[in-house]
Amino acid sequence: MEDEQTRVGVVGLGYVGLPLALAMHDAGYDVVGVDIDADKVEGLRAGESPVNDVTDEEVWTATRNGLTFTTDYSLLSDADGVSIAVPTPLRKTDTPDLSFVLDAAERLATVVPEDCTVVLESTVYPGATEGALADVLAENGATIGEDLYLAFSPERIDPGNEEYGPTDIPKVLGGVTEECGDRAQALYEPVFDEVVRVDSATEAELVKLLENTFRAVNIGLINELAQIAHELDVDIWDAIDAAETKPFGFMPFYPGPGLGGHCIPIDPFYLSWKANEHGVDTRFIDLADTVNREMPQHVVQRIVSQLNDHGTAVSTADVLIIGAAYKPDVSDTRESPAIDIVEGLTGWDATVDYHDPYVPALDIGETTYESVPLTDDRLRSADCVVIVTDHSPLDFDRIVEEASLVFDTRNATSHRDDEHVVRL
């Protein structure tokens, strides 16, 4: 690595892999980005970014300066290091699906040279790196820690977060062996501001699940408290603000219409599945998941109640959903609570439209919805406007002023005190 430019590969060019490939390119590495999606690769070669946090200009500039995008794994035959950042979803049975990781490993096992360092970034259950992944990479006779070097480093990408870039966030890393960890650390230190070394790949895997399970459990708690506060006729948002004035022993979490994205709704299942395999009952985690999954239905019930209070039956109501993405200022709709809310309302025979400046179309079941223009007339015609995602470009003052009934699940209208605005 010292005598010539280090050549690295990044497998998976989504919201994690593409920023990582660009960061490695900026660090001076010769980078090859690999993805099995030929359309995505073709777009990247043309300077088109598939993710919100990376601009077309950044992709185009990096491509002109030598970053390679391809579907061909053989271009990694002389790679010094490879990072894997592919999806790890759940199966329909809510069990871990490592098929994308194992497919990438099988392809890599046939091409990567000896002494290559492989780092898994995709979220997995504890033990997966030194178990399932190592087994596949060693199928051709390689010995992990001698011929190939394997580590785990959890991605910490936060889509839409402009305060922390990919390289600003401390990078946790653990190797299958000490030598594996040393080599992965040497590979990552030129890229990230800080590398946090832990004792093993399994410990690094647990770090990722700890971070997101911590959030899921606390969000579940505050979602339950929001329901209690509603019954007590107390503003949960004001209560949180007041509690936050305590300078110790409290960290604010906020209620919402439900969890979305890949991490928080999914990662706890990877942990609970592995715990159950060892005979540990994850009652706390499972209860939080139940509360969070019930929030979209709670929102629907609150909307039905508000419509009734305004003399409108939900079966004849015209409802406009504001925001389809799972979080502000992104286009990602994975696990978005907006989907469950639309399904719940249409189940009551309500007429539902949505507006989202980042999501032009949304498939829900067998129906494809298209984002409608947010005109004054559309706001006035709706029996209820429901704020599900508080995108920063949206003018919430105008929404409140034009709509006859607003149900705000994100506290986006906290600066107003209008009688026709109801908050979660």
Side-chain angles (χ1 to χ4, degrees), residues 84-145:
I84 302 173
V86 296
T88 48
L90 290 173
R91 296 189 177 95
K92 292 182 179 180
T93 55
D94 286 339
T95 57
D97 180 359
L98 299 190
S99 60
F100 294 100
V101 170
L102 299 181
D103 176 72
E106 288 173 358
R107 295 168 187 258
L108 289 172
T110 64
V111 298
V112 293
E114 287 189 6
D115 286 337
C116 184
T117 300
V118 178
V119 183
L120 178 62
E121 299 247 345
S122 309
T123 301
V124 292
Y125 55 80
T129 302
E130 67 177 40
L133 181 57
D135 289 345
V136 174
L137 288 173
E139 282 180 351
N140 292 332
T143 299
I144 302 300

Side-chain angles (χ1 to χ4, degrees), residues 116-359:
C116 184
T117 300
V118 178
V119 183
L120 178 62
E121 299 247 345
S122 309
T123 301
V124 292
Y125 55 80
T129 302
E130 67 177 40
L133 181 57
D135 289 345
V136 174
L137 288 173
E139 282 180 351
N140 292 332
T143 299
I144 302 300
E146 296 179 11
D147 304 313
L148 289 178
Y149 301 90
L150 180 60
F152 181 81
S153 180
E155 60 87 4
R156 283 174 158 176
I157 296 291
D158 183 19
N161 190 326
E162 297 182 358
E163 183 177 357
Y164 296 104
T167 61
D168 302 328
I169 304 167
K171 202 78 174 79
V172 173
L173 184 150
V176 170
T177 67
E178 185 173 354
E179 179 67 14
C180 290
D182 290 344
R183 296 210 175 204
Q185 185 171 348
L187 182 70
Y188 271 19
E189 278 185 336
V191 181
F192 297 93
D193 292 348
E194 179 182 1
V195 173
V196 180
R197 182 78 174 269
V198 296
D199 288 340
S200 66
T202 301
E203 185 174 329
E205 291 161 340
L206 183 60
V207 168
K208 172 64 173 181
L209 298 178
L210 169 60
E211 292 171 0
N212 284 334
T213 301
F214 171 80
R215 294 175 64 195
V217 167
N218 280 282
I219 292 170
L221 171 63
I222 204 66
N223 278 335
E224 188 166 72
L225 285 171
Q227 297 179 46
I228 295 171
H230 169 64
E231 297 300 329
L232 297 175
D233 197 25
V234 172
D235 189 316
I236 185 63
W237 307 94
D238 288 346
I240 294 169
D241 289 344
E244 192 178 2
T245 63
K246 184 179 180 181
F248 55 89
F250 181 81
M251 177 182 293
F253 286 82
Y254 300 94
L259 297 181
H262 173 269
C263 292
I264 303 181
I266 303 244
D267 290 2
F269 281 98
Y270 275 74
L271 181 57
S272 60
W273 178 83
K274 192 64 176 179
N276 294 161
E277 194 178 59
H278 286 267
V280 178
D281 188 8
T282 54
R283 292 171 293 174
F284 209 66
I285 297 172
D286 296 343
L287 180 58
D289 176 70
T290 297
V291 172
N292 289 328
R293 284 176 181 260
E294 290 175 348
M295 283 307 292
Q297 187 57 37
H298 172 71
V299 169
V300 170
Q301 293 292 344
R302 292 280 304 276
I303 295 169
V304 171
S305 176
Q306 290 300 317
L307 286 168
N308 286 338
D309 290 346
H310 284 73
T312 302
V314 65
S315 60
T316 63
D318 177 8
V319 180
L320 176 61
I321 303 292
I322 303 295
Y326 82 90
K327 66 178 292 186
D329 302 337
V330 301
S331 61
D332 196 340
T333 60
R334 289 177 299 173
E335 309 294 331
S336 174
I339 295 171
D340 293 325
I341 292 170
V342 170
E343 288 182 329
L345 290 169
T346 55
W348 284 86
D349 293 329
T351 299
V352 182
D353 282 332
Y354 86 94
H355 170 80
D356 191 309
Y358 296 93
V359 183

